[in-house]
Amino acid sequence: PGPVRAASQALSAALVRRGGLVGGRWVETAAAFPVQDPASGEELGRVSDCGAAEARAAVRAAHEAGTAWGRLPAKERSARLRRWYELMMENKEELARIITAENGKPLREAQGEITYSASFLEWFAEEARRIYGDVIPASAKDRRVLVLKQPVGVAAIITPWNFPSAMITRKVGAALAAGCTVVVKPAEDTPLSALALGELANQAGIPAGVYNVVPCSRQQTAAVGEVLCTDPLVSKISFTGSTATGKILLKHAAGTVKRVSMELGGHAPFIVFDSANVDRAVAGALASKYRNSGQTCVCTNRFLVQKGIHDEFVEKFAKAIDKELHVGNGFDAKTTQGPLINEKAVEKVEKHIKDAVSQGASVVTGGKRHSLGKNFFEPTLLTNVTTKMLCTQEETFGPLAPVIRFETEAEAVAIANAANVGLAGYFYSQDPAQIWRVAEQLEVGMVGVNEGIISSAECPFGGVKESGLGREGSKYGIDEYLEIKYVCFGGL
């Protein structure tokens, strides 16, 4: 394929693919859908619009490749994953430019995502050689009891647009290390990153059929998703996205009782206690809230600030926003805040601000669309916020920071835990006893104590309540793709 352009920035022709990847072959379909630059609205190119037929073909290809891949010595699977990691790092700049073009995030953030994304291939390349079984002392002297760990089979991987590379490798790295094969359905807004990873997987020697990609338009998403969740050849589903969509996929998966892991919506609280170092809390708040323009599942959605330091925190936070955040095209070097992914995302931020202001909230800074137009929005800070406002009841997924004043620790924990989701939570305190109490009481899967950025390949990522099932990354992540088989060896 020829090069595509985004904001006058040419992308690498060697890594830009427009067809689906099925059984090691690039598959073109009669219909194609556009991929657009959210900063300009410019069309980057058109990608094959795969449907149910292509999804079924990809599942069959993965199934046929599964036996050989699963039986490959772990050392060989490790070596291929390691080579894939190396190729990602060698092509870091080109991969980052693809992310910025189709997702809009600042190029520096996109480069960070590629490093983060590649780290999962590196991590699971090492974990592939550490899938250990057990020998259990038997209850009878003429028996031996063994426990084996074996790949579950074909895994359907359904990923979002906000981290179009990392959300794939975090799942696929674990699956391939375990000996599974995969079919990836990337988000319709950002298929180019998934296809670029496919090109590098081929170069790394990942066998045909082990890594398959079926890009599709929004119109085809339901049909493709249903195939991936109901085909009896698929043994496992891993999904990152909204809680509402996750519930639909769970219903589909129930028919064939598939293994499921899901990383769903968040509503992260960020609590600042009177004992906190306010300057560190402001720095953490800036990082946690405004990374990727607030479009991450672990972004802070509600700030709870104790009354003793409330005014100081708000004043310093507002100054930091105005001084350190710069809205612009992701390819501009000074940009820290790119566009939101689409018009619908902008409208949701506007809706939350309008609702809050109508109920008495005050806009400290920002509050409206940016003068750049399109999908750009000003980083916004609200005060006088209450728990009755939409922005504290729903996940905004945008650059909006609502601040709620509280009086006691118990009050803050109660507000934080009132949500029906629990992915990440953050709090700042210098009181050791309080740190232990609050860390244990917060109903979330991940807690940042005096830290606003907590994700890494070594750590288990996932939530509780309606934020999902299972964990990704870390030594626990590979377990999601393994079955435990008990073998009773008798007659000895």
Side-chain angles (χ1 to χ4, degrees):
V4 295
R5 304 186 71 81
S8 302
Q9 304 286 335
L11 303 181
S12 170
L15 292 180
V16 173
R17 296 288 178 179
R18 298 198 182 99
L21 180 59
V22 177
R25 298 184 300 108
W26 295 105
V27 176
E28 300 287 342
T29 58
F33 67 98
V35 180
Q36 295 179 319
D37 174 2
S40 66
E42 180 181 355
E43 186 175 301
L44 304 174
R46 301 182 76 83
V47 171
S48 291
D49 194 3
C50 295
E54 288 77 21
R56 283 192 289 267
V59 169
R60 286 194 300 273
H63 179 70
E64 291 167 2
T67 300
W69 179 252
R71 291 178 179 173
L72 203 65
K75 185 176 181 179
E76 292 188 36
R77 291 200 303 273
S78 174
R80 311 241 182 142
L81 284 169
R82 178 76 191 187
R83 180 57 185 149
W84 197 4
Y85 155 76
E86 292 169 348
L87 286 171
M88 283 194 70
M89 296 307 294
E90 290 169 15
N91 291 275
K92 176 180 174 179
E93 295 303 315
E94 291 80 2
L95 292 169
R97 294 173 76 83
I98 290 173
I99 289 177
T100 295
E102 64 179 352
N103 168 281
K105 69 175 59 177
L107 187 58
R108 188 187 312 169
E109 279 194 32
Q111 291 165 343
E113 179 179 342
I114 294 302
T115 300
Y116 178 57
S117 176
S119 74
F120 288 105
L121 298 182
E122 179 186 35
W123 173 264
F124 285 114
E126 296 164 355
E127 289 298 293
R129 302 180 67 182
R130 298 180 178 88
I131 300 173
Y132 302 138
D134 289 296
V135 177
I136 299 174
S139 58
K141 64 182 180 181
D142 63 342
R143 295 180 182 180
R144 298 296 181 269
V145 175
L146 311 177
V147 174
L148 311 179
K149 292 185 179 181
Q150 297 179 312
V152 298
V154 176
I157 307 295
I158 304 175
T159 58
W161 51 263
N162 59 338
F163 286 88
S165 180
M167 295 302 95
I168 292 175
T169 57
R170 191 162 73 186
K171 301 173 187 293
V172 170
L176 268 58
C180 297
T181 55
V182 300
V183 178
V184 177
K185 194 214 84 67
E188 58 271 12
D189 294 299
T190 55
L192 298 177
S193 291
L195 296 170
L197 288 175
E199 171 61 30
L200 293 181
N202 287 347
Q203 293 179 25
I206 303 296
V210 172
Y211 177 86
N212 304 274
V213 186
V214 283
C216 65
S217 64
R218 187 168 280 104
Q219 291 72 26
Q220 291 278 24
T221 291
V224 170
E226 185 172 349
V227 168
L228 297 181
C229 292
T230 60
D231 193 307
L233 296 180
V234 175
S235 301
K236 159 80 182 184
I237 299 165
S238 180
F239 170 71
T240 294
S242 72
T243 298
T245 301
K247 290 178 179 180
I248 294 170
L249 299 183
L250 278 169
K251 289 179 181 178
H252 283 316
T256 47
V257 195
K258 300 187 189 305
R259 286 276 296 274
V260 176
S261 57
M262 296 202 165
E263 190 259 287
L264 306 176
H267 191 36
F270 188 110
I271 307 171
V272 186
F273 291 104
D274 282 344
S275 67
N277 179 314
V278 175
D279 292 331
R280 285 195 62 183
V282 167
L286 204 68
S288 176
K289 174 69 254 185
Y290 294 108
R291 183 167 57 111
N292 198 21
S293 298
Q295 301 175 112
T296 89
C297 52
V298 293
C299 271
T300 296
N301 206 62
R302 303 167 288 159
F303 287 90
L304 312 176
V305 184
Q306 200 159 13
K307 63 178 182 179
I309 48 91
H310 174 276
D311 293 349
E312 180 187 0
F313 175 85
V314 169
E315 180 183 358
K316 289 184 174 181
F317 196 14
K319 288 180 179 177
I321 291 169
D322 293 338
K323 178 182 178 182
E324 298 185 33
L325 302 184
H326 304 280
V327 179
N329 188 293
F331 285 107
D332 294 338
K334 68 179 182 179
T335 294
T336 64
Q337 303 289 287
L340 274 67
I341 191 65
N342 53 37
E343 173 73 14
K344 186 178 179 181
V346 175
E347 290 174 353
K348 186 172 186 181
V349 178
E350 286 183 320
K351 178 183 176 182
H352 280 192
I353 293 172
K354 182 179 179 181
D355 171 79
V357 171
S358 72
Q359 296 188 59
S362 303
V363 177
V364 179
T365 187
K368 61 184 183 299
R369 297 189 188 217
H370 195 274
S371 58
L372 286 172
K374 285 303 292 180
N375 299 320
F376 293 94
F377 203 92
E378 296 177 345
T380 301
L381 176 62
L382 299 180
T383 57
N384 300 321
V385 173
T386 71
T387 57
K388 295 181 180 180
M389 298 173 183
L390 275 179
C391 59
T392 64
Q393 298 173 358
E394 300 176 351
E395 187 177 26
T396 304
F397 230 66
L400 170 60
V403 179
I404 302 169
R405 186 195 302 259
F406 72 88
E407 295 193 6
T408 68
E409 177 186 308
E411 179 189 0
V413 171
I415 293 172
N417 289 343
N420 63 356
V421 292
L423 189 58
Y426 310 88
F427 69 91
Y428 277 70
S429 170
Q430 295 186 98
D431 178 343
Q434 183 176 60
I435 288 172
W436 278 111
R437 286 194 306 269
V438 176
E440 292 178 348
Q441 291 172 23
L442 283 180
E443 295 172 357
V444 296
M446 300 172 284
V447 180
V449 183
N450 297 323
E451 291 290 343
I453 301 293
I454 57 176
S455 302
S456 71
E458 298 84 357
C459 303
F461 193 102
V464 300
K465 299 181 178 179
E466 293 187 17
S467 279
L469 304 165
R471 293 296 182 268
E472 295 182 335
S474 80
K475 69 176 184 178
Y476 305 104
I478 204 165
D479 291 339
E480 301 289 338
Y481 298 89
L482 292 168
E483 294 283 15
I484 293 176
K485 178 182 286 185
Y486 152 51
V487 179
C488 182
F489 191 178
L492 300 178

